[in-house]
Amino acid sequence: MKILYVVPPSPHFAGMERVVHDLASGLATQYRGTLDVTVLYCHRYPELAGELPYKVIWEQVEQLRTFGFRVARWLRKETYDVVVVAQFEPTALLWLANRLHGGSARFVMHFHGNPKVEGNGSLRARLAFSLFGPIVRRMDKAIAVSPSLARYVDGRVGTPGLVEYLPNPVRQFAHLQRPVAHDGPISFVSIGRLARQKGHDVLIDAFARVLAQRSDVRLTIIGDGSEHDALSAQVDRLGVRDHVLLAGKISDPAAELANADCFVSASRWEGFGVAIVEAMSAGLPVIATDCDFGPRDLIDSPEKGTIVPAEDVDALAAAIAAFAQRGRSDAHQAMRRDAAALFRLDNVVAQHAAMLDAVGR
């Protein structure tokens, strides 16, 4: 069965791009001889240098408005049984361009993000999302990366059996040995692009309020992005430079997770929460905002962590302060690691292979 994954234009090799790469790698490796997997990227990523286990098409596309017809020409060159496209608008554009040229491939729409937010963008996006239900119903399958996102899409579409929750593969840090008793400040860590979505500005404000009450806490924020300068200025304005570190992009944050006591996610919106699962795989408790979609699906018991309202500085500060007051503990590490193991690559790839087999028949 010939499978084509399509990654829309994006300059960053981040959550969605990494997920597609991991899925394609796992499918091409574990189902060699059964699945012929190709990924079309609209941007060349340095992280993908070297030989890959799947076939690659590099199609440089800078803008979404040209995406559909530029990519559809590859569907005229090669026949694919199933085409899996990330996100609503790119899938709709490619599906339409393909149908206009008489293509008959089966399409799977892969929801990674938050349609509520994406539909409030450009005029083109608002027009596309106004047809959300009718377009999704034209797909052969729609898959979502969290249960709450799947419920939202299903509620908008109303076609029984069309929408399915399939988890993302998440790299595991179960091998890390975290020190339980150590001297020094209580360490909090957050991982995510420096973008408004991730709410790092809210986190820094909350952390500054905690620091006003106690000085034995530290925060490390891992990631880069367009908000770096603004966040750096915020750190200086609040006078917390000695306690808050903008560490930049770290491809393998194993050392930072091993030395942290708690993971914090302050996102305004999500589609899933990859970094939360990574932290849980390292045994870390989590403080996360109750944003759409994903965190509440993952933090479903007090042993895993604490959920606070999104964009609520006071509530986030209170949760951080409460954790610092309780102090470090190795309790429930094994339970958090076991919960994260459900997202291991081999487990997730098997579920996606079953979906592709059902769609491609």
Side-chain angles (χ1 to χ4, degrees), residues 245-322:
L245 172 65
L246 299 179
K249 182 178 180 180
I250 300 175
S251 298
D252 182 0
E256 288 72 20
L257 290 173
N259 291 311
D261 298 300
C262 181
F263 182 86
V264 186
S265 172
S267 293
R268 290 179 165 90
W269 69 87
E270 284 288 354
F272 169 48
V274 169
I276 292 175
V277 179
E278 289 180 344
M280 289 171 58
S281 78
L284 287 174
V286 175
I287 298 171
T289 50
D290 189 15
C291 64
D292 292 331
F293 297 94
R296 184 169 287 277
D297 295 323
L298 299 169
I299 310 303
D300 56 6
S301 70
E303 293 78 15
K304 294 177 183 176
T306 303
I307 293 286
V308 301
E311 297 194 84
D312 189 328
V313 175
D314 289 336
L316 185 57
I320 293 171

Side-chain angles (χ1 to χ4, degrees), residues 6-338:
V6 180
V7 179
S10 170
H12 304 290
F13 187 74
M16 176 178 66
E17 296 76 20
R18 186 180 296 277
V19 164
V20 173
H21 164 70
D22 289 345
L23 281 174
S25 297
L27 289 165
T29 302
Q30 297 179 35
Y31 294 87
R32 188 179 304 277
T34 302
L35 299 179
D36 182 351
V37 182
T38 302
V39 180
L40 187 150
Y41 292 102
C42 293
H43 188 87
R44 286 186 177 268
Y45 301 108
E47 293 88 345
L48 298 181
E51 187 175 353
L52 297 172
Y54 53 83
K55 299 175 183 176
V56 178
I57 298 172
W58 302 108
E59 174 67 28
Q60 193 69 27
V61 182
E62 300 296 337
Q63 297 179 333
L64 198 56
R65 63 184 176 84
T66 63
F67 166 82
F69 288 101
R70 290 277 298 276
V71 176
R73 67 181 184 176
W74 290 100
L75 300 184
R76 298 195 297 274
K77 292 180 180 180
E78 186 77 41
T79 299
Y80 294 97
D81 297 296
V82 182
V83 179
V84 185
V85 192
Q87 304 296 58
F88 170 78
E89 192 179 355
T91 313
L93 291 170
L94 180 55
W95 176 85
L96 178 61
N98 183 57
R99 288 298 186 266
L100 288 174
H101 288 286
S104 59
R106 298 182 180 185
F107 267 69
V108 175
M109 185 176 289
H110 195 173
F111 287 94
H112 289 260
N114 189 320
K116 290 183 179 180
V117 177
E118 295 157 11
N120 293 325
S122 65
L123 177 61
R124 183 195 62 241
R126 293 196 299 274
L127 176 61
F129 275 86
S130 71
L131 301 171
F132 187 90
I135 290 175
V136 177
R137 283 193 287 270
R138 296 295 189 101
M139 300 296 114
D140 296 278
K141 193 70 177 178
I143 56 176
V145 298
S146 66
S148 52
L149 178 55
R151 289 192 296 270
Y152 171 78
V153 175
D154 187 57
R156 292 280 304 270
V157 174
T159 301
L162 178 63
V163 183
E164 181 179 356
Y165 158 59
L166 285 181
N168 278 335
V170 180
R171 59 182 171 175
Q172 302 287 302
F173 294 94
H175 61 285
L176 295 183
Q177 297 297 316
R178 294 180 50 243
V180 175
H182 60 80
D183 296 329
I186 298 174
S187 176
F188 296 82
V189 64
S190 184
I191 301 175
R193 287 181 298 107
L194 303 188
R196 185 176 183 277
Q197 172 194 349
K198 299 301 183 179
H200 294 309
D201 56 324
V202 178
L203 174 55
I204 292 170
D205 276 343
F207 209 76
R209 296 189 185 186
V210 176
L211 283 166
Q213 304 299 320
R214 57 189 304 159
S215 61
D216 61 337
V217 291
R218 297 289 186 274
L219 170 65
T220 299
I221 297 175
I222 298 170
D224 60 9
S226 60
E227 294 289 308
H228 176 272
D229 291 347
L231 294 174
S232 183
Q234 180 185 5
V235 168
D236 288 335
R237 184 177 68 255
L238 294 173
V240 296
R241 178 65 66 181
D242 291 340
H243 300 267
V244 177
L245 172 65
L246 299 179
K249 182 178 180 180
I250 300 175
S251 298
D252 182 0
E256 288 72 20
L257 290 173
N259 291 311
D261 298 300
C262 181
F263 182 86
V264 186
S265 172
S267 293
R268 290 179 165 90
W269 69 87
E270 284 288 354
F272 169 48
V274 169
I276 292 175
V277 179
E278 289 180 344
M280 289 171 58
S281 78
L284 287 174
V286 175
I287 298 171
T289 50
D290 189 15
C291 64
D292 292 331
F293 297 94
R296 184 169 287 277
D297 295 323
L298 299 169
I299 310 303
D300 56 6
S301 70
E303 293 78 15
K304 294 177 183 176
T306 303
I307 293 286
V308 301
E311 297 194 84
D312 189 328
V313 175
D314 289 336
L316 185 57
I320 293 171
F323 181 89
Q325 184 64 33
R326 290 194 301 271
R328 304 178 177 93
S329 171
D330 63 349
H332 310 300
Q333 278 194 45
M335 185 268 285
R336 290 188 287 266
R337 292 181 195 266
D338 288 344

